[in-house]
């Protein structure tokens, strides 16, 4: 996640954009030189691509229900090729941002959407892993 944020820092006006106003557990960094993961409210997805406009680019950090958590580099992963995928258990946990059953996501087409738990699950399980992912997984880098 540090690498991705360092790449986009030249395109961002302020570190404030990396902080959700409802995420009371995080505080804004004063500048990009001092930016730490504790100053970020969002996770980044690795399958975002302009050729995949429906894919997640970023989401609030309160998404949960992953098949695998705590992988190297703070990666959490949904396996979309399995009918028993954790994507069917995806939800927003109460501890951060908008609370239980509410969250937002930025898609590859640049749109931002509010999701409740059922809509989050529907979005994830409706992806076509063969066309919309590189390897059948959807990975998120968490701060």
């Amino acid at each position: 996640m540090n690498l991705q944020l360092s790449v986009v820092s030249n395109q961002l006006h302020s570190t404030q954009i990396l902080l959700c106003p409802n995420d009371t557990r995080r505080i804004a960094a004063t500048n990009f030189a001092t930016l730490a993961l504790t100053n970020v409210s969002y996770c980044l997805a690795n399958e975002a691509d302009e050729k995949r406009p429906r894919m997640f680019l970023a989401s609030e950090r309160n998404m949960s229900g992953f098949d695998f958590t705590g992988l190297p580099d703070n990666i959490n992963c949904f396996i979309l090729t399995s009918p028993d995928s954790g994507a069917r258990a995806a939800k927003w946990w109460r501890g951060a941002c908008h609370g239980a059953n509410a969250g937002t996501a930025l898609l590859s087409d640049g749109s931002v959407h509010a999701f409740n738990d059922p809509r989050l699950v529907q979005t994830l399980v409706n992806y076509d892993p063969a066309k919309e992912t590189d390897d059948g997984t959807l990975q998120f880098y968490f701060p």
Side-chain angles (χ1 to χ4, degrees):
M1 181 151 194
N2 285 330
L3 175 62
Q4 288 89 346
L5 290 175
S6 66
V7 170
V8 299
S9 66
N10 292 334
Q11 303 298 318
L12 302 176
H13 174 69
S14 167
T15 59
Q16 285 290 112
I17 197 166
L18 301 174
L19 191 69
C20 174
N22 290 329
D23 192 354
T24 58
R25 295 183 179 189
R26 303 286 166 120
I27 57 170
T30 55
N31 57 58
F32 284 99
T34 63
L35 183 70
L37 296 181
T38 56
N39 305 120
V40 180
S41 295
Y42 305 101
C43 59
L44 300 174
N46 72 335
E47 297 292 337
D49 184 323
E50 65 272 1
K51 295 176 187 149
R52 301 171 177 160
R54 297 181 334 120
M55 293 304 290
F56 279 61
L57 173 60
S59 174
E60 292 180 28
R61 68 183 182 89
N62 64 328
M63 187 189 303
S64 65
F66 295 95
D67 291 289
F68 296 102
T69 61
L71 298 171
D73 299 322
N74 292 333
I75 296 173
N76 291 344
C77 179
F78 289 116
I79 298 175
L80 302 177
T81 55
S82 168
D84 299 323
S85 170
R88 296 188 186 286
K91 63 183 177 181
W92 305 100
W93 59 278
R94 181 181 312 274
C97 302
H98 292 106
N101 197 29
T104 59
L106 169 65
L107 302 184
S108 294
D109 66 2
S111 63
V112 177
H113 299 266
F115 289 92
N116 60 17
D117 290 347
R119 185 165 175 227
L120 176 63
V121 169
Q122 178 185 15
T123 300
L124 294 171
V125 298
N126 284 336
Y127 285 139
D128 180 347
K131 293 180 182 175
E132 296 180 288
T133 70
D134 293 333
D135 63 1
T137 67
L138 186 56
Q139 299 176 23
F140 291 87
Y141 297 84
F142 275 78

